[in-house]
């Protein structure tokens, strides 16, 4: 058995003498020839740990030995043995792919024949050989990450430290990154991979789960997942009442987690809960328990709703009839196969539930009809068509998702729908107003949250709210009331005097959303609103979105998180500037079902539909 690549003993880091430790007495080992995942919420200490392992920070207490080198005493030898890709990798966007590689080779002392061989190997490995002359700023998100990986591997490292390398990267590019990393581990390289995507943790040989600087778990992710066996359930048959059921479920102490999963609601019960789904969630007075059914379903068995005692509310078969049908006409509770994400949320104490008190005042829409309409939207840049005759309609109170790989045309479409980019052809309407013949009125009917934090970092939270209230035309009592409402709703009071740039990421997202809804718009556009945010914060954010749609607000959202796309009523898949599929998440999954793929996930559907489109274009 090979010795560990890294040995960490009682590792502690404080950034100020009186401050709580960012890392608190961590002890663990890292093995060669495998991927070790590091997961945890924002502020858990993941990035601090990576910097300590890379020898970029000195520990306050304890020590770490990496590849046989003490991270402080033998820093030079350590830097020759490892590769490190930080969370915000410093590519120079005005340099080409080859110029970036050359710069980092100079910094790492890779010269002569070794440089030529390294470049040839890495360009082939990352499939960037075709793009050596392209400016890094014009690469897609996935290609930027591949270039970052290449720069980190110039010296063929024994240990590769990757700090959230897949943030903002589409599912296809993520699979490509994992393919490359698995090739490295097959050659004996050890990899430490921090991630906000918990499905990625399931691909790791080991995981370290952290929270508030402490190590909560180290081991096989499968073992952690098995710890919540028989506590996860899908509630099916709730039709258009998914959000209502989820909101009611999360208010219960015995339900520690809940998410929308296609047409169903996924619930995780607290350990020792007496009944799998509290009966009063569905309008019943007696307990509901799952019973085996031959119908089949996710997990080892399926279940139908049964009452513990006879009642006129209960019906026969898999559904329930009677007065309760006014709430949920056809209900089935199905034991669900546990996921690592379920176990992660349970280990951290459950999903935040403060969104239960979040309220949005209803705002009457501008008459009937669809809230958003795109007709033949086309955008041409020179000889490149970024969006090609894209059309869709979004109903009032609907969550509509735009999905697609990096560079597919989502952002271009999104900017045209927000009035930020004028189309070459086609029209766009928001709440009944044409974005191009009546732009000021149309923009006043929408709220917009940009992909990257776009507020003023050197202004305080209070100043940002005041500024954006003015931008949206709010004055006097209306402005004071609107600002007071979002401060209370998003718990911003303790941070009002804090500069926006200094906020934790989760509160930056809250502030950005607060500014977008100050004027209570009937339509809200969210461009990758949770990119880089941990699963608990993402759940809280979607709790806010669900509450807003409950008040009649229409939401269009782009995302790379396929579990987030499950929250959408419908999604459109954009590829190479075209809309290649539109439907509910379940409809897209059903469209690719086959003998080889009997139970496709939404990510499977995403990739299969794109591959099918490529085959049609090649024919």
């Amino acid at each position: 058995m090979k010795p560990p690549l890294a040995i960490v003993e009682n590792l502690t880091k404080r950034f100020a003498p009186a401050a709580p430790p960012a890392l608190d007495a961590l002890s663990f080992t890292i093995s060669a020839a495998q991927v070790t995942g590091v997961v945890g919420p924002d502020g858990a200490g993941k990035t601090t740990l990576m910097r300590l392992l890379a020898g970029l920070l000195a520990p306050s207490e304890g020590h770490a030995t990496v590849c046989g080198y003490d991270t402080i005493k033998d820093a030079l030898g350590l830097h020759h043995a490892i590769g490190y890709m930080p969370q915000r990798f410093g590519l120079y966007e005005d340099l080409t792919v080859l110029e970036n590689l050359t710069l980092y080779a100079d910094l790492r002392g890779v010269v002569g024949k070794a440089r030529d061989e390294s470049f040839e190997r890495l360009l082939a490995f990352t499939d960037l050989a075709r793009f050596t002359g392209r400016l890094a700023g014009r690469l897609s998100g996935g290609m930027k990450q591949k270039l970052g990986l290449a720069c980190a591997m110039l010296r063929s490292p024994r240990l590769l430290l990757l700090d959230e390398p897949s943030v903002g990267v589409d599912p296809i590019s993520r699979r490509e990154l994992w393919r490359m990393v698995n090739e490295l581990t097959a050659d004996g390289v050890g990899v430490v991979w921090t991630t906000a995507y918990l499905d990625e943790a399931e691909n790791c040989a080991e995981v370290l789960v952290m929270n508030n600087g402490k190590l909560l778990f180290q081991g096989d992710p499968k073992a952690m997942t098995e710890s919540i066996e028989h506590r996860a359930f899908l509630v099916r048959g709730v039709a258009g009442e998914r959000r209502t059921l989820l909101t009611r479920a999360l208010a219960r102490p015995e339900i520690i987690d809940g998410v929308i999963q296609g047409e169903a609601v996924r619930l995780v019960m607290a350990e020792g809960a007496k009944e799998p789904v509290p009966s009063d969630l569905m309008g019943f007075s007696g307990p509901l328990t799952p019973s085996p059914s031959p119908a089949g379903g996710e997990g080892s068995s399926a279940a139908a709703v049964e009452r513990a005692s006879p009642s006129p509310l209960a019906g026969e078969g898999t559904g329930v009839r009677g007065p309760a049908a006014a709430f949920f006409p056809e209900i089935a509770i199905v034991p669900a196969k546990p996921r690592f994400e379920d176990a992660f949320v349970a280990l951290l104490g459950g999903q935040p539930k403060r969104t239960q008190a979040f309220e949005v005042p209803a705002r009457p829409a501008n008459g009937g009809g669809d809230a958003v309409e795109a007709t033949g939207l086309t955008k041409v840049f020179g000889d490149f068509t970024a969006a090609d005759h894209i059309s869709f309609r979004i109903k009032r109170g609907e969550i509509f998702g735009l999905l697609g790989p990096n560079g597919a045309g989502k952002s271009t479409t999104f900017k045209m729908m927000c009035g930020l980019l004028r189309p070459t052809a086609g029209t766009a309407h928001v709440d009944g107003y044409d974005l191009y013949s009546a732009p000021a009125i149309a923009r006043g009917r929408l709220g917009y949250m940009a992909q990257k934090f776009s507020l003023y970092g050197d202004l305080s939270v209070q100043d940002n709210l005041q500024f954006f209230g003015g931008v949206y035309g709010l004055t006097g009592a209306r402005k004071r009331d609107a600002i007071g409402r979002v401060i209370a709703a998003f718990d911003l009071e303790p941070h009002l005097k804090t500069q926006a740039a200094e906020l934790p990421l989760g509160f930056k997202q809250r502030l950005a959303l607060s500014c977008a809804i100050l004027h209570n718009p009937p339509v809200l556009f969210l461009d990758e609103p949770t990119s880089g945010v941990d699963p608990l914060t993402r759940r809280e954010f979607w709790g806010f979105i669900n509450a807003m749609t409950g008040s009649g607000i229409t939401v269009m959202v782009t995302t790379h998180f396929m579990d987030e796309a499950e929250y959408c009523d419908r999604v459109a898949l954009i590829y190479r500037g075209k809309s290649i599929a539109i439907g509910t998440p379940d409809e897209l999954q059903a469209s690719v079902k086959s003998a080889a793929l009997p139970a496709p996930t939404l990510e499977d559907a995403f990739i299969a539909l794109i591959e099918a489109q490529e085959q049609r274009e090649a024919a």
Side-chain angles (χ1 to χ4, degrees), residues 24 52 62 87 94 96 128 141 167 175 193 222 272 346 350 374 390 419 464 473 492 500 511 516 521 583 597:
D24 191 358
L52 285 163
Q87 191 172 352
D94 54 349
T96 67
L128 289 174
V167 165
R175 288 195 179 188
W193 178 306
K222 296 183 180 64
I390 291 176
N464 270 285
L492 296 175
L511 177 58
L597 204 60

Side-chain angles (χ1 to χ4, degrees), residues 187-211:
D187 291 337
V189 177
V191 177
V192 180
W193 178 306
T194 72
T195 181
Y197 296 86
L198 293 188
D199 59 328
E200 290 185 339
E202 295 176 330
N203 297 331
C204 300
E206 272 194 309
V207 292
L208 306 175
V209 181
M210 298 176 60
N211 189 34

Side-chain angles (χ1 to χ4, degrees), residues 21-22 40-46 48 210-214 504-505 534:
D42 295 327
K46 303 186 297 295
T48 300
M210 298 176 60
N211 189 34
N212 292 327
K214 296 181 182 295
L505 182 56
D534 69 78

Side-chain angles (χ1 to χ4, degrees), residues 294-341:
E298 184 179 339
S300 57
S301 64
V305 171
E306 288 190 352
R307 292 181 53 82
S309 58
S311 164
L313 293 185
E316 296 181 356
T318 61
V320 179
R321 304 291 187 269
F327 291 90
F328 305 101
E330 190 77 15
I331 305 165
I333 305 172
V334 182
K337 182 179 179 182
R339 304 186 300 196
F340 181 83
E341 184 162 333

Side-chain angles (χ1 to χ4, degrees), residues 182-354:
N182 287 332
E183 287 183 20
L184 292 174
T185 58
D187 291 337
V189 177
V191 177
V192 180
W193 178 306
T194 72
T195 181
Y197 296 86
L198 293 188
D199 59 328
E200 290 185 339
E202 295 176 330
N203 297 331
C204 300
E206 272 194 309
V207 292
L208 306 175
V209 181
M210 298 176 60
N211 189 34
N212 292 327
K214 296 181 182 295
L215 183 62
L216 304 184
F217 176 88
Q218 179 181 13
D220 186 341
K222 296 183 180 64
M224 185 167 148
T225 302
E226 290 169 359
S227 68
I228 61 155
E229 193 77 43
H230 309 305
R231 289 166 53 191
F233 297 88
L234 292 180
V235 183
R236 292 178 171 151
V238 290
E241 301 294 334
R242 298 173 302 160
R243 296 185 190 110
T244 300
L245 174 61
L246 179 59
T247 299
R248 295 170 70 181
L250 290 175
R252 299 296 299 258
E254 61 268 53
I255 296 177
I256 61 171
D257 190 28
V259 295
I260 289 174
Q261 189 173 331
E263 294 300 316
V265 175
R266 185 184 186 90
L267 301 177
V268 178
M269 308 300 294
E271 189 172 6
K274 292 183 179 179
E275 52 177 329
V277 180
S279 57
D280 58 349
L281 291 178
M282 267 81 84
F284 297 107
S285 57
L288 297 173
T289 58
S291 62
S293 165
E298 184 179 339
S300 57
S301 64
V305 171
E306 288 190 352
R307 292 181 53 82
S309 58
S311 164
L313 293 185
E316 296 181 356
T318 61
V320 179
R321 304 291 187 269
F327 291 90
F328 305 101
E330 190 77 15
I331 305 165
I333 305 172
V334 182
K337 182 179 179 182
R339 304 186 300 196
F340 181 83
E341 184 162 333
D342 301 329
F344 174 86
V345 175
L347 184 63
L348 269 63
Q351 177 174 347
K353 298 188 178 186
R354 63 174 305 278

Side-chain angles (χ1 to χ4, degrees), residues 80 101-119 121-122 150-151 153-156:
H80 282 82
L101 279 171
T102 301
L103 172 63
Y104 277 91
D106 288 343
L107 293 174
R108 298 295 299 272
V110 181
V111 297
K113 184 178 179 182
R115 173 181 295 196
D116 295 338
E117 292 175 349
S118 182
F119 281 13
R121 172 177 57 85
L122 291 171
C151 291
M153 293 172 52
L154 280 164
R155 278 190 171 273
S156 299

